[in-house]
Amino acid sequence: MLLIDCPHCGPRDETEFRYGGQAGIAYPTGETSDARWAEYVFLRDNPKGWFRERWFHVHGCRTWFDVERHTVTHEIRNTT
Amino acid sequence: MRFTFDGRPMRGEPGDTLAAALLRNGVRVVGHSVELGRPRGVFTAGPEEPNALVRVGADPMLAATVVELYDGLEAWSLRGKGRLTPDAADDRPDDRRCDKGYLHCDVLVIGGGPAGLAATAAAGRSGARVILVDDQPSLGGDLLNSRVLLDGAPALEWVAGLTLPARILTRTTAVGYYDHNYVVAVERRARGERLWHIRARRVVLATGAHERSLAFPGNDRPGVMLASAARAYANRYGVRPGRRAVVFACADSGYTAALDLLAAGVEVAAVVDPRPAGLTVAAEVPAEVLAGAVVTGTTGDAAGVLTGVLVGERHFEADLLAVAGGWNPAVHLFSQSQGRVRFDEGLQAFVPGTSAQAERSAGACRGLYGTREAIADGHTAGTEAAEAALSSRTALGARAALGGRAAGSRAGETGGTAGSRAGEAGGTAGSWAGEVGWGVAPLRVPECDEQPLRPPAALWVVGDPVPGGTEAVEPAFVDLQRDVTVADLVRAAGTGMRSIEHVKRYTTAGTGADQGKTSGAVVVGVMSALLGAGPGEVGTTTFRPPYVPESFATLAGRDRGELSDPVRTTAMHDAHVARGAVFEDVGQWKRPWYFPRDGESMQAAVLRECRAARTAVAAMDASTLGKIDIRGSDAGAFLDRIYTNMYSTLPVGACRYGLMCGADGMVFDDGTTTRLADDHFLMTTTTGNAAAVLDWLEEWHQTEWPDLDVSFTSVTDHWATVAVAGPRARQIISVIAPGALELAFMRYASTAVLGVAGRVFRISFSGELAYEVNVPWRYGRALWETVLELGAVPYGTETMHVLRAEKGFPIVGQETDGTVTPQDLGMSWIVSRRKPDFVGRRSHSRPDTARADRKRLIGLLPEDPAALVEEGAQLIAGEGAPSGGVVPMLGHVTSSYRSATLGRTFSLALARNVAVGDRLTAVSGGAAHGVTVVEPVFYDPENARRDGDPLPAGVAVPYQGECRAESPATAFAARFGAVSTETVRLREVPFESMWEVRGADPGVGLRLGPSWWFISGNFLPGPGWVDVSDQRTILELSGPGAEDVLITGCPIDLHPDVFPGHAQTLLAQTSVLLERRAPDTYRIYVRSSFTKYLAEWLIDALAAL
Ligand SMILES: [Zn+2]
């Protein structure tokens, strides 16, 4: 059970959150090739190690925020 | 204490375990092994027991060594293999009330032996919040089993003299150690187990060590027992585990056991020590010591019970063989925490190596076996843990105190700072003995009479483990519960297996209920010999939770029966029940499926309900549709980006049907959205997607377009909605909401409904004249009853589905499955070409999405008008069932109904490469039906029915009666009262107005999020305050036991240093806003649809206290 530090509410159990996948995936604007668009919709990194990802405090303050989580140890560090 | 074993009456002593009582009564054979049927007796005195498994009452399999004896206990030996014995449990209702609870602490100490006690004392006196869990009924750990003297007095006197400023949970086994110092422990209570979820800043593991056995021929006879167990039975329970003993001492603890057995009146025939003569302390033990010798076999009587021990050529008569094979630190929890173990050559055991979490092992679980050493180590560990925990707590507290950072306090109050602890101590669960820890004198490490310990023998198996080696004499067991022998390991190695994990799965060693606690080290040792590698290279198998077996009843706790999954109900639910509705589950909601009249079949009821809606007037409870209040100057622009069609141009007072897609272009949800004002919309969603759509809106707003001025408030539970449909719907509206009489199609009016402020939308999902009439939740039942009294026929979801399918309206989740675009549904008309962008737009021109041969929505008419094609049936070309071979599947049937209006059956389907007029075959199971493709609109394609019948002549009389308000908790008032006690009181707080506010701080209320406030009470609402008075019900828990109730379902820390006074969090299985109004008084604001569920849960929680 991860303990996730919500920037508004402080540390709460994982069960209060919804996972939001990889962080920093920008919505493509302007002319976008089929390949570039498919990459945006379907492709995400899956590293072994530190991973910047989004969480949503769905049962609390309903804030989206980013954390860095180590995918092997589950260690979490906040990003600011 | 009287008890029975296999029906035989016996007597035991208070404090006995069942195993101790059985030995007290001379029971040597407790059961027979599963695979080989060999007799087995008590082998250990703790949870590592592989042999003495028994059925007790309704519990099918427990280790007799951990069952506390009680008067009237009935136990049976186990028979059969892998299934319950036929006579078990059926006639014994399980009346236990299992429960759970959440705890938080600075330091969690696991294990109440010398190290754990010292750690607790040290951590507690520093002011840290400390929890100590220990699996025994009383503290002391191995000191309970020993005769060791501390400062010249019995060790338990030292234990009794300790000051332990901590919450102490005895009879509590830590069974799982998960990420971020989350430890799950099971407390055994007579009325049912309690599963504790404990989050700790630091953990001190003081789990002790398990003595191990070793493999030698005949090592499984009843009478062979671990030396530590023999010592425990003699010292702690006053039970002689035999009359004449041989001690097999691979470690010095064997000599201690020999002395203890002698003191208990057991004759010791010999001590067999594999170590050379110079290492023994023979002079101290008045018995023959055979140095450099090993036990080579055992002899038994006709029943297989031990009669003697072979040491080479010599035979010693004995009925007890006490085996001291050495010690294994109990690294199970350490290893579960992802810490890495390493093999210590000096100790010949695996010990904690690298930590992965904020924990530290102390005492015997890291190989410090001496009592004094363990106390000193525990003291250091406890001190360090408390220092580390308190410094991280201070850091967090300081951050929480920063203005605007944390969830704020109620306006006008000042929040407590991290340092303020005074005045919070009380007598309940919420208080911490730790509060009195300040100023306790430091612990002094006592003197101990133990001898220094010498290295154990590195011996795992007697004789050479080679094919034919030990097998010739008698099996030498490595895993008693699984009947795995040295010969089995030899075979495994012979197949070429090198990995200990493979060997485990091949031989099943370590897979029993004891999870190899006594066998693991032996398996590693024997494999080490077979492979010619050191035990450290062989390694251990993975330690997984739970540490000891737990029942599903324990894990389920109170989440069983009606409470196993929350049920959401509408304001009209009780009326539906009274009317005999048959319900269907839609998400967590209970929705009326149909309303059968006396003896009516579903088919007849649905046909009747459909006929009423098409020819007269009918009504449905539509309260479950999601409703989202959307405000802000950019609300229209935001909706343009979310929906496929245009909303910014929608006139005020108009409703529009919309589709929204995922980024992949697939249909995600649909519904009507109405413009209430320039900067104010009300969105409706499907019942099942309400939460997901709100999440979706917030995700796009917060993560992509934070610059847009728009905010979202769920009002699903604020409004109760009745859909009134049918050509005569206008007559009902003229009575209940005359202000809405002139509404045009797709228009909205804010108007009085039954005299209360309501909203009426003229939208239709059936093609008939229809209104969706909304009143605040508390008036929902009155509205429903009135509409029915006025002649509307109640209809359920099945009729709603038939009516919309006749009109060809798709249902998200039925016609769509995440692979369907708006174009696939034939709804290109709703996909704007004028807008620059909306979510999913770019995906609609991807090659795959744009290709011509995609499945599209079609209508089907079966050739036999009475034949109902099964939903999910596959469509194939041509007529007749396939005669074999591979037949291309063209699509599948998504909806299928009998239509009262059409007088026949019909279906909707998704299919590729078909055209109107094509004849296909629908195949499902053994049935094949010929069907013809038609346009997917079966009824009134020109929308002639939309405006219904005109109001008959004569003046309609507006409703004159009273519109009765009823809270979802009203029906619980008496039960709340009945379950309340002096300690804890439960009641509903009378109705209060409530608002949610976004944006700037309104200056009152509770802060819920970065720019989100909640206000309840008597206020004149400001501009932009969203009325949510009916969205939540207010329940109040008060009294010194209130927190004891809350911790059984609320995962957050309620300690005054941490809890800011209010929080949105979980309680049981639902979201709540929890507010502490006074030290012992909590308000629970719960969504109205979850109120019945939470009320039942709270009543159950109070009853379980
Ligand atoms: Zn939060």
Side-chain angles (χ1 to χ4, degrees):
Chain A
M1 174 77 76
L2 303 181
L3 186 66
I4 298 168
D5 196 3
C6 169
H8 179 263
C9 306
R12 297 284 185 95
D13 283 355
E14 183 183 348
T15 43
E16 292 195 7
F17 296 86
R18 222 194 76 191
Y19 186 57
Q22 185 176 2
I25 306 288
Y27 183 79
T29 50
E31 280 300 303
T32 310
S33 69
D34 283 339
R36 171 75 190 91
W37 182 256
E39 192 176 302
Y40 164 73
V41 176
F42 301 114
L43 296 184
R44 294 294 182 270
D45 294 341
N46 185 21
K48 179 179 180 179
W50 287 105
F51 186 49
R52 208 168 135 240
E53 62 192 17
R54 308 184 308 162
W55 288 85
F56 178 47
H57 196 185
V58 62
H59 292 293
C61 65
R62 300 191 66 83
T63 302
W64 281 94
F65 58 96
D66 293 354
V67 300
E68 274 188 305
R69 180 177 60 96
H70 196 283
T71 58
V72 178
T73 65
H74 293 311
E75 191 185 336
I76 282 181
R77 58 191 189 198
N78 279 46
T79 62
T80 45
Chain B
M1 281 188 166
R2 296 166 186 277
F3 72 104
T4 66
F5 179 62
D6 284 339
R8 282 178 286 155
M10 298 181 183
R11 278 170 181 272
E13 295 294 325
D16 276 359
T17 61
L18 177 57
L22 289 171
L23 289 169
R24 189 185 294 285
N25 286 271
V27 176
R28 309 302 300 272
V29 180
V30 180
H32 288 78
S33 69
V34 171
E35 293 294 335
L36 303 175
R38 293 170 68 97
R40 295 281 165 79
V42 173
F43 188 69
T44 73
E48 67 270 39
E49 176 63 32
N51 282 347
L53 300 174
V54 292
R55 172 161 69 84
V56 179
D59 271 310
M61 190 167 86
L62 295 174
T65 49
V66 300
V67 174
E68 287 181 51
L69 194 68
Y70 54 85
D71 203 47
L73 180 147
E74 295 177 13
W76 290 265
S77 54
L78 297 187
R79 276 157 286 163
K81 181 176 169 183
R83 59 188 166 85
L84 297 177
T85 46
D87 52 339
D90 278 356
D91 54 342
R92 287 162 210 285
D94 188 354
D95 56 358
R96 286 175 303 182
R97 293 184 69 89
C98 296
D99 204 349
K100 72 172 171 185
Y102 295 92
L103 295 175
H104 303 259
C105 61
D106 293 313
V107 179
L108 169 64
V109 180
I110 301 173
L117 291 170
T120 304
R125 72 176 290 276
S126 70
R129 296 161 68 195
V130 182
I131 296 174
L132 168 64
V133 302
D134 184 74
D135 65 349
Q136 293 295 306
S138 51
L139 296 175
D142 190 54
L143 300 178
L144 294 165
N145 307 325
S146 106
R147 295 189 304 135
V148 72
L149 301 178
L150 292 176
D151 285 342
L156 291 182
E157 288 182 18
W158 175 80
V159 174
L162 289 172
T163 302
L164 298 171
R167 180 177 189 139
I168 296 168
L169 296 167
T170 55
R171 295 187 171 92
T172 304
T173 308
V175 295
Y177 193 144
Y178 303 93
D179 290 317
H180 299 178
N181 269 1
Y182 196 76
V183 173
V184 172
V186 176
E187 179 184 9
R188 287 178 303 283
R189 310 181 299 179
R191 60 198 159 125
E193 288 79 12
R194 165 116 81 165
L195 194 69
W196 289 108
H197 298 249
I198 307 170
R199 181 79 75 176
R201 292 184 199 284
R202 309 291 297 190
V203 172
V204 175
L205 293 169
T207 48
H210 293 143
E211 196 167 34
R212 63 180 178 240
S213 183
L214 67 160
F216 56 87
N219 63 348
D220 70 324
R221 288 188 192 282
V224 181
M225 183 185 287
L226 291 176
S228 57
R231 181 169 163 256
Y233 291 119
N235 291 340
R236 177 174 177 182
Y237 301 103
V239 174
R240 276 185 296 174
R243 287 183 299 277
R244 185 176 153 87
V246 170
V247 178
F248 192 0
C250 302
D252 287 2
S253 52
Y255 293 87
T256 313
L259 290 167
D260 288 356
L261 288 170
L262 282 163
V266 178
E267 190 185 340
V268 175
V271 176
V272 183
D273 190 337
R275 293 174 292 184
L279 277 171
T280 56
V281 280
E284 293 185 11
V285 181
E288 183 179 358
V289 173
L290 289 79
V294 293
V295 171
T296 53
T298 59
T299 56
D301 62 15
V305 177
L306 187 78
T307 56
V309 176
L310 295 164
V311 182
E313 297 300 306
R314 296 186 64 181
H315 179 259
F316 295 89
E317 270 185 36
D319 61 353
L320 172 66
L321 171 55
V323 182
W327 294 90
N328 296 324
V331 296
H332 304 71
L333 293 173
F334 170 80
S335 189
Q336 283 181 26
S337 80
Q338 303 301 310
R340 297 190 114 143
V341 297
R342 65 174 177 83
F343 189 74
D344 186 296
E345 293 291 340
L347 297 167
Q348 287 293 307
F350 289 94
V351 296
T354 318
S355 286
Q357 299 203 33
E359 55 71 40
R360 184 229 210 247
S361 297
C365 70
R366 63 185 281 245
L368 295 173
Y369 300 137
T371 303
R372 196 168 191 281
E373 290 77 2
I375 292 171
D377 193 39
H379 187 266
T380 306
T383 306
E384 289 173 358
E387 277 171 12
L390 290 175
S391 70
S392 70
R393 166 145 56 112
T394 307
L396 194 72
R399 205 181 50 162
L402 290 174
R405 161 62 178 66
S409 52
R410 193 166 265 274
E413 294 173 5
T414 49
T417 62
S420 74
R421 304 176 61 86
E424 299 293 353
T428 70
S431 77
W432 288 81
E435 312 286 354
V436 300
W438 302 94
V440 172
L443 182 76
R444 188 182 56 76
V445 177
E447 296 303 321
C448 179
D449 65 339
E450 284 169 346
Q451 302 290 322
L453 297 169
R454 294 149 313 134
L459 185 65
W460 314 96
V461 57
V462 171
D464 262 347
V466 293
T470 48
E471 191 79 334
V473 198
E474 230 191 318
F477 287 87
V478 292
D479 188 320
L480 293 169
Q481 188 167 144
R482 284 299 195 197
D483 274 343
V484 178
T485 65
V486 171
D488 293 327
L489 296 183
V490 171
R491 261 192 296 281
T495 66
M497 289 186 191
R498 294 294 177 269
S499 160
I500 195 77
E501 297 284 5
H502 290 158
V503 171
K504 171 180 176 175
R505 282 150 186 82
Y506 181 70
T507 63
T508 74
T511 63
D514 61 342
Q515 289 285 288
K517 289 186 184 66
T518 56
S519 67
V522 187
V523 172
V524 173
V526 174
M527 288 310 296
S528 163
L530 286 168
L531 300 174
E537 295 168 81
V538 173
T540 66
T541 54
T542 306
F543 295 92
R544 293 193 180 86
Y547 170 68
V548 292
E550 295 307 334
S551 70
F552 283 107
T554 303
L555 301 178
R558 294 195 291 107
D559 293 342
R560 52 198 291 182
E562 300 229 315
L563 298 177
S564 61
D565 191 37
V567 169
R568 299 179 73 179
T569 51
T570 71
M572 298 77 144
H573 184 78
D574 290 347
H576 302 328
V577 172
R579 203 160 265 107
V582 176
F583 290 90
E584 80 166 328
D585 293 339
V586 182
Q588 290 174 315
W589 289 97
K590 287 284 177 202
R591 298 197 70 181
W593 194 13
Y594 57 98
F595 291 88
R597 289 183 177 163
D598 298 332
E600 207 176 24
S601 68
M602 176 177 177
Q603 188 181 325
V606 171
L607 288 172
R608 175 179 52 73
E609 293 171 13
C610 286
R611 215 172 289 122
R614 291 274 183 237
T615 64
V617 60
M620 183 184 73
D621 178 0
S623 307
T624 62
L625 290 180
K627 294 174 277 287
I628 303 170
D629 186 281
I630 302 175
R631 298 188 191 213
S633 57
D634 294 321
F638 179 86
L639 290 173
D640 282 350
R641 299 188 193 184
I642 289 292
Y643 277 122
T644 62
N645 49 343
M646 194 72 104
Y647 276 84
S648 54
T649 55
L650 189 68
V652 170
C655 322
R656 183 167 285 169
Y657 172 80
L659 272 187
M660 54 179 88
C661 294
D664 59 2
M666 303 302 158
V667 171
F668 163 53
D669 203 64
D670 72 343
T672 54
T673 287
T674 301
R675 190 165 212 161
L676 306 179
D678 259 349
D679 57 354
H680 188 190
F681 291 79
L682 182 78
M683 174 186 283
T684 65
T685 75
T686 57
T687 296
N689 258 350
V693 170
L694 182 61
D695 289 1
W696 182 246
L697 304 181
E698 294 194 340
E699 178 177 351
W700 283 96
H701 178 229
Q702 289 184 36
T703 67
E704 286 296 337
W705 312 313
D707 49 314
L708 292 186
D709 172 29
V710 60
S711 64
F712 318 95
T713 305
S714 171
V715 290
T716 302
D717 295 27
H718 175 70
W719 297 103
T721 309
V722 176
V724 183
R728 287 187 226 151
R730 197 169 275 115
Q731 293 179 37
I732 289 184
I733 296 302
S734 71
V735 177
I736 62 169
L741 210 44
E742 302 305 321
L743 274 184
F745 183 59
M746 296 304 267
R747 283 293 185 278
Y748 140 89
S750 174
T751 183
V753 176
L754 303 184
V756 305
R759 290 172 174 175
V760 180
F761 303 82
R762 212 193 120 185
I763 52 186
S764 176
F765 199 39
S766 58
E768 303 298 328
L769 171 67
Y771 301 84
E772 286 188 2
V773 184
N774 291 262
V775 289
W777 184 282
R778 62 190 184 279
Y779 301 112
R781 184 166 182 179
L783 171 63
W784 174 253
E785 300 282 15
T786 305
V787 167
L788 298 195
E789 277 166 30
L790 292 169
V793 172
Y795 69 97
T797 51
E798 185 68 11
T799 291
M800 181 261 283
H801 280 198
V802 178
L803 298 174
R804 63 87 203 178
E806 288 173 349
K807 284 291 289 177
F809 297 148
I811 286 200
V812 171
Q814 184 152 348
E815 271 64 42
T816 72
D817 59 3
T819 67
V820 178
T821 66
Q823 296 84 353
D824 295 342
L825 292 175
M827 296 173 75
S828 300
W829 56 269
I830 206 169
V831 181
S832 169
R833 285 179 186 76
R834 288 184 293 152
K835 294 196 291 186
D837 197 13
F838 57 84
V839 176
R841 181 177 188 272
R842 177 62 183 84
S843 284
H844 291 157
S845 58
R846 288 184 60 241
D848 179 65
T849 322
R851 70 191 152 83
D853 64 341
R854 290 180 62 84
K855 290 183 189 176
R856 297 192 192 282
L857 187 70
I858 56 168
L860 295 175
L861 290 177
E863 274 155 32
D864 174 359
L868 190 67
V869 178
E870 202 175 359
E871 288 175 359
Q874 295 294 322
L875 296 172
I876 58 174
E879 293 172 54
S883 54
V886 176
V887 182
M889 295 190 297
L890 302 177
H892 65 279
V893 173
T894 57
S895 295
S896 216
Y897 306 103
R898 290 175 207 284
S899 167
T901 312
L902 306 176
R904 57 161 304 138
T905 59
F906 71 104
S907 302
L908 294 171
L910 287 166
R912 69 169 63 89
N913 299 332
V914 297
V916 167
D918 285 357
R919 299 182 76 179
L920 310 175
T921 302
V923 184
S924 76
H929 295 284
V931 295
T932 303
V933 177
V934 298
E935 291 291 348
V937 182
F938 300 85
Y939 177 74
D940 187 28
E942 55 288 337
N943 296 326
R945 308 281 309 169
R946 201 181 68 189
D947 293 326
D949 296 347
L951 209 55
V955 182
V957 182
Y959 183 75
Q960 299 295 328
E962 183 209 4
C963 186
R964 199 166 56 86
E966 183 183 86
S967 147
T970 302
F972 289 89
R975 292 175 63 203
F976 285 171
V979 78
S980 292
T981 63
E982 294 278 294
T983 321
V984 56
R985 202 161 71 92
L986 174 61
R987 69 174 187 118
E988 182 189 6
V989 176
F991 177 82
E992 278 184 13
S993 293
M994 290 176 257
W995 297 270
E996 286 181 41
V997 182
R998 311 277 169 162
D1001 187 350
V1004 289
L1006 307 175
R1007 188 165 178 226
L1008 302 185
S1011 55
W1012 183 17
W1013 283 265
F1014 176 85
I1015 300 156
S1016 72
N1018 281 321
F1019 292 94
L1020 197 62
W1025 290 23
V1026 182
D1027 182 5
V1028 290
S1029 302
D1030 289 58
Q1031 174 82 352
R1032 296 174 180 84
T1033 308
I1034 312 173
L1035 305 178
E1036 185 190 82
L1037 264 181
S1038 57
E1043 202 170 312
D1044 292 325
V1045 172
L1046 290 173
I1047 64 167
T1048 68
C1050 182
I1052 65 172
D1053 190 354
L1054 298 172
H1055 191 276
D1057 281 2
V1058 182
F1059 185 60
H1062 73 276
Q1064 287 201 102
T1065 182
L1066 294 165
L1067 182 60
Q1069 297 179 65
T1070 184
S1071 283
V1072 296
L1073 168 57
L1074 183 67
E1075 183 194 10
R1076 177 154 52 208
R1077 305 275 287 195
D1080 276 346
T1081 304
Y1082 291 86
R1083 273 189 172 194
I1084 302 161
Y1085 301 85
V1086 58
R1087 294 273 291 257
S1088 291
S1089 59
F1090 284 102
T1091 299
K1092 281 177 196 286
Y1093 159 75
L1094 196 67
E1096 293 287 358
W1097 185 88
L1098 284 165
I1099 288 169
D1100 190 58
L1102 264 67
L1105 276 188

